[in-house]
Amino acid sequence: MGLWNRPLLVSSHMAFLAKCIVMIWIVTKCRTEGSNAAAEQDLINDLLKGYNKDAHPIPEQNKSLYMVTFGLELVQLVNVDDKNQIITTNVWVRQKWRNLLLTWDPNKYGGIKRVRIDPSLLWIPDIVLYNSADSEFSGGLEKYKTRVIIDHDGTSAWYSPASFRSTCPIDVTYFPFDQQTCTMKFGSWTFEMVDLDIHADRSPLHSTQYVKSAEWDLLGASKKRNVQSYACCDYPFSDVTIEFVFKRKPLFYIFNLIVPCMIIVSMVLLGFFLPPESGERITLSITVLLAMAVFLQLGAENLPRNSESVPVMGIFYITVMIEVASSLIATCYILHIHHRNSGTAVVPVPRWVNVYILDKLGKFLGVKKPVTEDNYDLSAEVDFKRISLMKKDLDKRFGSTNNHVKTKLLHDTRSRTTTKSTLNSPEEFCMTSSTNSVTSTYPKMDTHQEKNHNNDGGCNSAKTAQGVMVLVDSLKHRRQIEKNQEEWRHLAMVLDRLFFWIFVVVILISTIVVLSRGA
């Protein structure tokens, strides 16, 4: 029995020893942590005992060697206020300096080499943003809320996120294709360079932590140390100036300001295709002009309010307004030409207009003369045969007693047929045939009636013939007026086509010039 129980006793002793070792380790660990906590507390108490946070951290004889390094990393461009010329940025600020009044020996405090202390208990450099647009103080405890990291050799590091509103001169000349350069100037407000010399650190100004803006692209960033004298002080001040270059993304403005404007302008060109007889050309032009005016009022809300320079978009809108107004003037002039002949008298078209505009320019622009119904081309020989037949009929009917009427009728008829060998219209042909038929019916009267009513019949026939010739004159005059109206309408068509191409060229050139200037 004893031999069987001996292994059990050995195993129980081993388990007991293991438990004792674990308990001893836990107790030792707790004592060490407690001693470290107590050591850190003692260290902070010793550091701040008798410490004055207003005292310069460098002794008087070493002040000339005192330096503060300043770094900044851009995290996000929050907003660019074109009207007030203010930009809002989220950044990470890094400041480092050495405080010789806060040093210790790590061996005396349990090997502690670094502590973190509330900045309100320590001396901190009063580095502020010179071109701040905030009503609050742009530095120090009012801006940075994190703790200061202090190493055993007195090196102090203050890392803090912050949001700044800084002034930036906005140049909107090339809006919405503009590129802006903004600076942020950091420096001490009370310490001259002999007491505090600020230098830029070597950390990057932006990294993968940067949040891209939906409206602006970050093209570049740089920093530079400057030394500048001011009228207030005997010694110069040093500062670190950080420069950012941003470029606006124009896609939003292209689709919301430029494309709708181009669609409205295309309505101007569409108006040149409407026939003047429709009576809607003036209405369309005025409607387009009013639509452009309303759109300009809506678009002005997105334009930067700046009186120092006129943006490209504003020039583009004014150009479009001038083009729309000019199209209205051109439309009025074309309608005036189209209705130049009111139908009461012939208004001759100037000869140079016929030669240079209707013939040469009309052919060049491809404007054809309107097709008329004047297809009756009768030769002069047929006209003279008709006159000779009319003369014979008049001789048989009137005899020698009415030679003066016959002579006048033949003279009028001959003057009408010999001046132009081609009849002007079907109406003239019909009226000429009617005259022949009237004169040819008189020989069919019997001789007795002709003798008895020679004087009365001759007088009535002469009146009838004169009435027919007056009607012919009236129809011919009417035909001349219609032909003159067709000439003026043809001129209106040529000018209409000419103004159309002029406006196409002007709109394209003005759009390309204005937008390429901005791009």
Side-chain angles (χ1 to χ4, degrees):
M1 264 326 264
L3 294 175
W4 290 101
N5 292 330
R6 184 175 296 176
L8 294 174
L9 292 173
V10 173
S11 60
S12 61
H13 286 300
M14 294 296 293
F16 178 75
L17 289 175
K19 291 180 180 179
C20 291
I21 292 173
V22 172
M23 293 296 295
I24 293 172
W25 180 81
I26 292 174
V27 172
T28 304
K29 182 68 176 177
C30 292
R31 286 183 177 180
T32 302
E33 290 181 354
S35 63
N36 286 341
E40 183 175 0
Q41 184 176 357
D42 294 338
L43 172 60
I44 294 175
N45 291 333
D46 292 342
L47 288 175
L48 299 179
K49 185 178 180 180
Y51 175 76
N52 188 349
K53 64 180 180 179
D54 295 326
H56 196 283
I58 299 295
E60 187 70 26
Q61 64 273 13
N62 296 326
K63 276 188 178 181
S64 60
L65 302 177
Y66 189 66
M67 181 179 66
V68 175
T69 60
F70 182 86
L72 182 144
E73 180 177 340
L74 180 64
V75 178
Q76 184 182 13
L77 176 64
V78 180
N79 182 42
V80 176
D81 189 348
D82 299 324
K83 178 181 178 181
N84 298 314
Q85 298 190 354
I86 296 174
I87 64 170
T88 304
T89 54
N90 291 334
V91 299
W92 291 346
V93 178
R94 304 183 180 96
Q95 302 180 67
K96 286 186 178 182
W97 65 92
R98 191 174 183 185
N99 193 336
L100 298 181
L101 302 179
L102 298 176
T103 60
W104 70 91
D105 184 4
N107 296 326
K108 296 181 180 180
Y109 295 95
I112 298 176
K113 297 182 178 180
R114 176 176 293 179
V115 293
R116 295 163 181 83
I117 303 178
D118 191 337
S120 62
L121 304 176
L122 307 174
W123 178 93
I124 54 175
D126 61 339
I127 297 177
V128 298
L129 177 64
Y130 276 34
N131 57 329
S132 174
D134 264 334
S135 58
E136 300 178 354
F137 195 69
S138 59
L141 298 176
E142 290 79 3
K143 179 62 67 172
Y144 313 123
K145 305 297 182 181
T146 57
R147 295 177 178 270
V148 179
I149 304 173
I150 304 176
D151 291 335
H152 65 92
D153 59 352
T155 302
S156 302
W158 198 7
Y159 305 139
S160 178
S163 178
F164 290 104
R165 296 179 73 247
S166 58
T167 59
C168 177
I170 305 295
D171 184 9
V172 296
T173 302
Y174 302 106
F175 175 86
F177 308 99
D178 54 331
Q179 178 176 308
Q180 306 298 333
T181 301
C182 299
T183 59
M184 301 177 70
K185 183 178 179 180
F186 292 91
S188 175
W189 196 257
T190 58
F191 289 97
E192 299 168 327
M193 191 174 68
V194 295
D195 297 326
L196 191 152
D197 190 7
I198 181 173
H199 287 261
D201 66 357
R202 297 182 179 180
S203 61
L205 290 173
H206 61 92
S207 63
T208 56
Q209 303 296 328
Y210 175 70
V211 179
K212 293 184 179 180
S213 173
E215 187 178 357
W216 297 87
D217 284 327
L218 177 62
L219 299 184
S222 62
K223 50 189 173 182
K224 181 181 179 182
R225 176 180 177 270
N226 302 304
V227 177
Q228 186 175 356
S229 299
Y230 298 91
C232 65
C233 309
D234 298 332
Y235 296 96
F237 287 76
S238 61
D239 63 80
V240 173
T241 301
I242 300 174
E243 182 179 275
F244 297 104
V245 180
F246 301 103
K247 182 177 179 59
R248 194 190 304 266
K249 297 179 180 179
L251 186 62
F252 171 81
Y253 301 97
I254 290 176
F255 275 93
N256 291 276
L257 297 181
I258 298 179
V259 173
C261 186
M262 295 302 298
I263 294 176
I264 294 176
V265 173
S266 65
M267 297 297 102
V268 174
L269 301 178
L270 183 62
F272 288 100
F273 290 95
L274 288 177
E277 297 85 358
S278 64
E280 299 295 333
R281 297 190 63 170
I282 295 293
T283 304
L284 177 63
S285 299
I286 295 177
T287 303
V288 172
L289 185 61
L290 293 176
M292 191 62 207
V294 173
F295 182 76
L296 181 59
Q297 293 295 326
L298 297 176
E301 298 179 358
N302 295 318
L303 294 178
R305 295 171 177 84
N306 194 318
S307 298
E308 296 181 357
S309 59
V310 180
V312 172
M313 187 61 65
I315 297 175
F316 176 71
Y317 281 160
I318 295 299
T319 303
V320 171
M321 287 289 290
I322 293 174
E323 291 168 352
V324 173
S326 300
S327 70
L328 178 59
I329 296 174
T331 300
C332 294
Y333 181 72
I334 291 172
L335 293 177
H336 171 70
I337 294 297
H338 184 271
H339 299 285
R340 182 66 178 275
N341 192 333
S342 60
T344 58
V346 176
V347 182
V349 178
R351 180 175 178 80
W352 66 271
V353 173
N354 277 316
V355 174
Y356 294 104
I357 297 182
L358 294 181
D359 293 340
K360 296 183 179 181
L361 186 60
K363 291 180 180 178
F364 177 76
L365 297 176
V367 180
K368 297 181 180 180
K369 187 176 181 180
V371 180
T372 62
E373 298 178 356
D374 193 4
N375 298 322
Y376 295 89
D377 187 9
L378 302 179
S379 63
E381 183 179 357
V382 177
D383 293 337
F384 283 118
K385 287 182 178 180
R386 183 181 297 108
I387 292 173
S388 60
L389 291 175
M390 185 181 295
K391 179 178 179 297
K392 292 179 180 179
D393 293 337
L394 290 174
D395 287 339
K396 292 179 181 179
R397 178 65 185 89
F398 299 127
S400 59
T401 59
N402 294 321
N403 286 334
H404 64 283
V405 177
K406 173 182 62 177
T407 303
K408 184 177 183 303
L409 182 60
L410 290 175
H411 180 269
D412 293 340
T413 307
R414 188 183 303 272
S415 64
R416 300 177 192 282
T417 56
T418 56
T419 55
K420 186 177 179 181
S421 60
T422 304
L423 296 180
N424 289 320
S425 66
E427 290 84 355
E428 292 188 20
F429 178 77
C430 295
M431 293 310 303
T432 306
S433 302
S434 299
T435 305
N436 294 335
S437 63
V438 169
T439 56
S440 61
T441 53
Y442 291 123
K444 295 180 181 180
M445 299 173 63
D446 58 5
T447 304
H448 179 72
Q449 292 177 349
E450 183 176 341
K451 291 180 181 179
N452 293 334
H453 303 283
N454 188 25
N455 294 330
D456 295 336
C459 183
N460 293 332
S461 299
K463 292 180 179 180
T464 302
Q466 288 179 352
V468 170
M469 298 311 297
V470 169
L471 182 59
V472 171
D473 286 341
S474 176
L475 292 175
K476 184 176 181 180
H477 182 66
R478 181 60 184 171
R479 182 56 184 165
Q480 289 177 350
I481 293 176
E482 292 178 355
K483 190 172 183 180
N484 184 251
Q485 287 178 336
E486 292 173 357
E487 291 179 351
W488 285 109
R489 291 170 184 172
H490 184 206
L491 177 60
M493 292 173 60
V494 175
L495 294 178
D496 205 1
R497 186 68 59 85
L498 176 63
F499 284 133
F500 169 77
W501 287 113
I502 288 176
F503 274 92
V504 169
V505 173
V506 169
I507 290 173
L508 290 178
I509 291 178
S510 61
T511 303
I512 293 174
V513 169
V514 173
L515 297 184
S516 63
R517 180 187 174 190

